C-alpha cells in the first residue's frame, strides 16, 4: 500500500518531497529524477532550492511533452522544465531530457522507443515526481491507458485541455490535442514514486487512485502496483480518503528507521 501523508499546506508537502530527493541525492549524487510539470510540483522545487544542494550531476526525465507547439514556446514542457526546474535548481541541461525533443511530427512514431532507450541508458529513473489530473491521469495517461504502457503518443482528454487552458491565456483551442507521455509501465519502473495533489478538485481522483480498484479507467490507480509510493496531499485533496485517520496514525507513528 502507498504511504499517504496528509499535510496542512503545500509548503509542508513540498518540503517532505524535497527531503526525499535530498536523501536520494546524498546517497547517489548522480541520481535520476522523473519530472512532472504543471502546478503541483512547484512547492517541491522551491523547497529543494531552499535546501541548497549540489544537483549538478543529477539527471532528469520529463514525464511528457505537448505535440505541435513551436520550438521555444513558453508552455512547452521543455521550456517549463528549464524555467522551473533546471535553472533554479542548477541542474545540467545536458542531463535533462524531454520526450520527442527535436522530432518533426512525422518522426514521432519512434519517439517513444527512443525515450525508453534514453531512460535505460541513464540507468532508469530513481525517483518519479507525479501530479494527478482530475481524470485520474498521471503523466498524460488518460483513462483507458494500458497499465503496461510505455512512452507513446496520446490524445489529451477534453477535461485535461480545459484544465490546462490556464497556461494558454484561458483559450482551450490553443492547448495541443496530442502529447508524448511516459507510459504507466514506464512510471512503474522508477525506483520510488512520489505523487502530490492539492485542492478539492483532486479529491475524487486521489481517493480512486489510492483506495479504488486498480483499473485503466483510473490510470493513477496503477501506483498500487508499485512497492515504494508516497502520496502527499493537502487536507482538501485528501478529503475523500476513507482511511485518512489510519494514514495520519501511520505517518505520526512511523518507526525511526523509516523516516526518510
Ligand atoms: C504534467 C503531468 C500531468 C500533471 C497533472 C496535474 O507533466 O504529467 O499529469 O501532473 O495534469 O496538473 P497540475 O499539477 O497542473 O494540476
Amino acid at each position: 500500500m502507498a504511504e499517504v501523508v496528509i499535510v496542512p499546506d503545500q509548503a509542508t508537502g513540498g518540503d517532505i518531497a524535497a527531503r526525499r530527493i535530498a536523501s536520494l541525492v546524498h546517497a547517489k549524487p548522480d541520481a535520476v529524477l522523473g519530472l512532472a510539470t504543471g502546478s503541483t510540483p512547484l512547492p517541491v522545487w522551491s523547497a529543494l532550492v531552499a535546501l541548497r544542494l549540489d544537483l549538478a550531476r543529477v539527471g532528469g526525465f520529463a514525464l511528457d511533452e505537448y505535440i505541435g507547439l513551436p520550438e521555444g514556446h513558453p508552455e512547452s514542457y521543455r521550456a517549463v522544465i528549464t524555467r522551473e526546474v533546471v535553472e533554479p535548481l542548477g541542474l545540467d541541461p545536458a542531463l535533462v531530457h524531454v520526450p520527442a525533443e527535436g522530432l518533426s511530427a512525422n518522426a514521432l512514431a519512434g519517439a517513444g522507443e527512443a525515450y525508453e532507450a534514453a531512460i535505460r541508458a541513464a540507468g532508469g529513473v530513481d525517483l518519479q515526481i507525479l501530479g494527478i489530473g482530475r481524470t485520474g491521469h498521471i503523466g498524460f495517461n488518460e483513462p483507458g491507458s494500458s497499465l503496461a504502457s510505455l512512452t507513446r503518443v496520446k490524445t489529451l482528454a477534453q477535461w485535461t485541455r480545459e484544465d490546462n487552458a490556464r497556461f494558454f491565456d484561458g483559450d482551450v483551442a490553443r492547448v495541443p490535442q496530442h502529447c508524448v507521455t511516459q507510459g504507466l509501465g514506464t512510471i512503474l519502473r522508477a525506483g520510488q514514486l512520489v505523487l502530490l495533489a492539492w485542492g478539492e478538485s483532486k479529491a475524487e481522483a486521489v481517493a480512486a487512485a489510492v483506495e479504488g480498484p486498480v483499473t485503466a479507467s483510473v490510470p493513477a490507480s496503477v501506483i498500487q502496483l508499485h512497492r515504494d509510493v508516497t502520496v502527499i496531499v493537502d487536507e482538501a485533496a485528501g478529503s475523500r480518503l476513507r482511511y485518512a485517520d489510519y494514514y495520519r496514525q501511520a505517518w505520526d507513528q512511523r518507526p525511526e528507521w523509516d523516516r526518510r
Side-chain angles (χ1 to χ4, degrees):
M1 198 195 76
E3 174 178 50
V4 181
V5 191
I6 302 171
V7 293
D9 50 45
Q10 296 184 22
T12 308
D15 194 56
I16 292 169
R19 285 178 196 283
R20 284 290 157 88
I21 294 172
S23 63
L24 168 69
V25 173
H26 190 65
K28 187 179 179 192
D30 59 351
V32 177
L33 302 177
L35 305 167
T37 45
S39 307
T40 305
L42 296 178
V44 182
W45 313 140
S46 44
L48 206 45
V49 168
L51 292 177
R52 303 167 76 86
L53 301 175
D54 178 2
L55 300 174
R57 292 174 59 203
V58 168
F61 283 87
L63 266 177
D64 36 29
E65 178 60 290
Y66 292 119
I67 294 175
L69 293 179
E71 206 187 314
H73 189 289
E75 293 307 327
S76 72
Y77 283 166
R78 164 54 81 186
V80 171
I81 292 271
T82 301
R83 192 168 65 232
E84 292 173 353
V85 186
V86 173
E87 289 173 350
L89 293 178
L91 301 186
D92 177 353
L95 300 178
V96 178
H97 308 267
V98 174
E101 192 143 47
L103 293 181
S104 64
N106 54 11
L108 283 171
E113 276 168 40
Y115 205 57
E116 294 289 333
I119 294 174
R120 275 197 306 275
V125 170
D126 294 298
L127 186 154
Q128 175 68 58
I129 296 287
L130 295 167
I132 182 170
R134 281 193 298 153
T135 58
H137 70 217
I138 49 175
F140 278 142
N141 296 280
E142 299 286 20
S145 293
S146 160
L147 300 180
S149 51
L150 300 178
T151 306
R152 72 229 181 279
V153 173
K154 287 292 284 182
T155 303
L156 291 170
Q158 187 61 16
W159 229 11
T160 301
R161 294 182 65 230
E162 284 166 12
D163 283 346
N164 287 6
R166 69 189 194 280
F167 298 116
F168 294 84
D169 296 327
D171 182 0
V172 70
R174 288 172 49 201
V175 183
Q177 313 252 13
H178 298 101
C179 62
V180 179
T181 180
Q182 289 190 31
L184 297 172
T186 318
I187 291 168
L188 283 185
R189 289 176 184 167
Q192 57 174 303
L193 307 181
V194 178
L195 185 149
L196 305 106
W198 321 124
E200 169 67 28
S201 68
K202 303 291 177 73
E204 203 176 313
V206 166
V210 174
E211 297 178 338
V214 175
T215 167
S217 297
V218 182
S221 66
V222 79
I223 65 170
Q224 295 178 40
L225 299 176
H226 197 284
R227 277 184 302 235
D228 189 348
V229 185
T230 303
V231 176
I232 302 174
V233 293
D234 63 9
E235 294 284 348
S239 59
R240 307 264 174 97
L241 288 167
R242 187 170 165 200
Y243 298 110
D245 288 346
Y246 172 62
Y247 306 141
R248 290 183 215 278
Q249 177 199 346
W251 178 253
D252 291 343
Q253 299 174 0
R254 68 198 188 285
E256 203 54 50
W257 45 263
D258 198 26
R259 295 184 180 234
R260 295 184 280 180

